Amino acid sequence: MASVKQVQITFDCAKPERVARFWCEVLGYVVPPPPEGFASWDDYTGSLPPEKQDASFVCSDPTGVGPRLYFQRVPEGKVVKNRVHIDVRVGTGLVGEERLAALQAECDRLVALGAIRDQVLLADEENESCINMRDIEGNEFCLD
């Protein structure tokens, strides 16, 4: 029988710390303390060779329940639609206008952080309403 494994979600991006801090705000995640011997992440980053500086960043769920998020710098920009995306579950258990209001309130908060709203998908016979969005580097995600 297979055991449950922990999951880390990795983002390819141009500016890892910027994207990580955006997702901290979205999810209520935190940046872990800097490595031992360093007073801050800036101190740690400054100790690295230039090609390694600002190459990656991490954030995690302060409760330890959600997956760790890892952000790594890549040279190429985003070109096509993500094959995997994050659903931010803000409307769980809500239906109709109450759900739409909760989704829209979260959408407004995230747009103020730099996210982009793509489209609202209204409820049908099979699915509840959701909002398709993009983060500050264009990665798709949904408010569900």
Side-chain angles (χ1 to χ4, degrees):
M1 179 175 186
S3 62
V4 175
K5 306 288 191 274
Q6 289 187 342
V7 173
Q8 170 176 284
I9 299 172
T10 300
F11 288 71
D12 289 351
C13 52
K15 298 186 176 185
E17 183 173 354
R18 179 176 180 250
V19 180
R21 291 191 184 280
F22 169 83
W23 281 101
C24 282
E25 290 295 323
V26 172
L27 301 174
Y29 272 35
V30 296
V31 174
E36 185 142 345
F38 295 94
S40 70
W41 280 104
D42 286 340
D43 290 346
Y44 171 73
T45 299
S47 75
L48 299 173
E51 68 276 6
K52 299 277 188 184
Q53 292 179 4
D54 303 315
S56 64
F57 212 79
V58 172
C59 64
S60 58
D61 179 352
T63 69
V65 175
R68 178 180 189 247
L69 303 182
Y70 180 79
F71 303 84
Q72 62 187 6
R73 185 179 63 219
V74 296
E76 67 278 355
K78 183 177 175 332
V79 180
V80 297
K81 185 179 184 311
N82 299 1
R83 295 285 309 254
V84 175
H85 68 266
I86 293 176
D87 286 343
V88 180
R89 311 289 317 270
V90 297
T92 304
L94 303 176
V95 296
E97 292 302 317
E98 186 179 21
R99 181 181 177 89
L100 278 173
L103 295 175
Q104 189 58 55
E106 184 66 359
C107 177
D108 293 345
R109 182 180 83 85
L110 300 183
V111 165
L113 296 173
I116 297 170
R117 183 184 128 182
D118 280 338
Q119 79 182 117
V120 176
L121 299 174
L122 297 175
D124 59 25
E125 298 79 34
E126 297 176 26
N127 300 298
E128 272 299 334
S129 298
C130 68
I131 300 177
N132 293 338
M133 300 191 70
R134 287 179 280 135
D135 75 9
I136 57 176
E137 284 201 3
N139 299 301
E140 296 91 1
F141 69 98
C142 292
L143 296 180
D144 176 35

